Amino acid sequence: MIFQVNGDSMEPEYPNHSYVLIKRDETKPQYGEVGIFQVDNSLYIKEFRKEGLHSLNPKWPLMNKKDYGSIRFVGRVIGVISPDEFATSDEIRAFTKNN
């Protein structure tokens, strides 16, 4: 899956408006892994820590699990994708035609 980052809480590693590639996986993440988490009804990109969900940007506080109704791990962040790496309409048509 691909998600667009909305906000500066994970800068500088995951800048606002950047795209991240996610490997969907609902098994428990390891401490220190960055993933997508569903917190109540919203999605967040955060680093998983024993204390809670951590932002790389120090101006944002820790999201402590006791402060939220539910937290569910959606998947692991594999990396940042540049918009020029997306297939163009012509490339999609050619792929579809040949497959």
Side-chain angles (χ1 to χ4, degrees), residues 63-80:
M63 293 177 76
N64 192 318
K65 55 187 165 189
K66 69 178 180 169
D67 297 330
Y68 298 93
S70 68
I71 297 177
R72 185 178 69 85
F73 180 59
V74 175
R76 290 168 171 74
V77 173
I78 305 299
V80 177

Side-chain angles (χ1 to χ4, degrees), residues 26-99:
E26 294 182 10
T27 62
K28 185 176 179 179
Q30 300 295 314
Y31 294 132
E33 277 190 292
V34 175
I36 299 295
F37 297 85
Q38 182 178 349
V39 180
D40 295 331
N41 293 320
S42 298
L43 294 175
Y44 295 89
I45 176 173
K46 297 291 176 194
E47 180 184 357
F48 182 68
R49 290 196 178 173
K50 186 176 184 178
E51 312 81 45
L53 301 179
H54 172 74
S55 297
L56 299 180
N57 185 336
K59 80 176 191 179
W60 291 94
L62 180 76
M63 293 177 76
N64 192 318
K65 55 187 165 189
K66 69 178 180 169
D67 297 330
Y68 298 93
S70 68
I71 297 177
R72 185 178 69 85
F73 180 59
V74 175
R76 290 168 171 74
V77 173
I78 305 299
V80 177
I81 300 175
S82 172
D84 63 347
E85 295 178 273
F86 290 106
T88 65
S89 298
D90 290 340
E91 291 170 328
I92 293 170
R93 278 192 290 278
F95 177 82
T96 304
K97 181 180 178 182
N98 294 326
N99 291 301

